[in-house]
Amino acid sequence: MLIIGERINSSRKPIAAAIAAGDREFIQREALAQGAAGAHYLDVNAGTFLEEEADRLKWLVETVQEVSELPLCIDSPSPRAIAAVLPFVDRAPMINAVTLEPERLEGVLPLVADYKAKVVGLCQSAEAMADTVEAKLEMAGRLVEAVEAMGIGKEDLYIDTLVYPLASDATSAGASLEAIRRIMAAHPGVHTTCGLTNISHGLPMRKLVNRTFLVAAVARGLDSAILDPTDKPLYGSLRAALTVMGKDDYCMDYIAAFREGRLE
């Protein structure tokens, strides 16, 4: 299970304040904490800074790389901002994200190919954001076709089925869970991922909802997630789910996490 640490995102007020103040130590503590908690990639996002996004994102990249050897997930809706920071990335990154919108496809996929990156593909077109199982499956197929046409292997594509808040769409979780199952069956080698905390937006006890959805998604085949690895109950639920689903040989990862005090 590939874990993308979500915490260094300017939509979080403490992160936005640290970016604005140039507080390197604060950002670096976030990076180190997520690495110690089990993240495989560190997401970096400066999207709330709008016209300054590229410069702020470059600062984040350099700041995190000073203290962490984990690869980065470059998170931006702007192909221009992504292109501006990729020359400063030390290790093959993940790019979050590409959509089926022509501007995003044409702006992002060549960067993915050139930098030998992994890429998150959102089930979203210029006309719509997929909300039904069939729409998610159809857009996922188009994303697979698009990356393969660029010479990018399916194994480097992480399809995000788009999880909407249950508070506004009670069918969102079920549609995403079924779409994950069907995408993984229809496209062997491709990966699925999700922005986990979207599911609980607007609800009380959000972490309980997040944990429950994550376990259900792992059971459907989800093999990546953008989440907070420092949330011990969440991380513990993930490790237990992987063990129950037979994705942890001899339960060794679960036992190791227990011995390291990372389960709760």
Side-chain angles (χ1 to χ4, degrees), residues 226-238:
I226 303 167
L227 52 77
D228 179 1
T230 69
D231 180 343
K232 282 190 175 182
L234 178 67
Y235 186 81
S237 295
L238 173 59

Side-chain angles (χ1 to χ4, degrees), residues 60-145:
L60 278 179
V61 166
E62 294 175 338
T63 297
V64 172
Q65 288 182 156
E66 284 181 0
V67 296
S68 175
E69 294 186 356
L70 289 178
L72 301 180
C73 179
I74 308 300
D75 184 355
S76 172
S78 168
R80 180 187 65 82
I82 294 169
V85 303
L86 283 175
F88 302 95
V89 174
D90 291 342
R91 287 161 286 281
M94 178 179 284
I95 295 175
N96 183 13
V98 70
T99 70
L100 291 166
E101 298 163 283
E103 179 183 356
R104 299 278 287 277
L105 277 178
E106 296 164 9
V108 173
L109 287 188
L111 297 173
V112 174
D114 289 347
Y115 285 87
K116 295 179 171 41
K118 299 182 186 301
V119 63
V120 175
L122 305 181
C123 291
Q124 175 181 336
S125 69
E127 294 77 33
M129 298 172 67
D131 57 356
T132 66
V133 175
E134 292 303 328
K136 295 175 191 293
L137 188 62
E138 187 270 338
M139 289 192 192
R142 289 164 60 189
L143 285 165
V144 171
E145 291 176 1

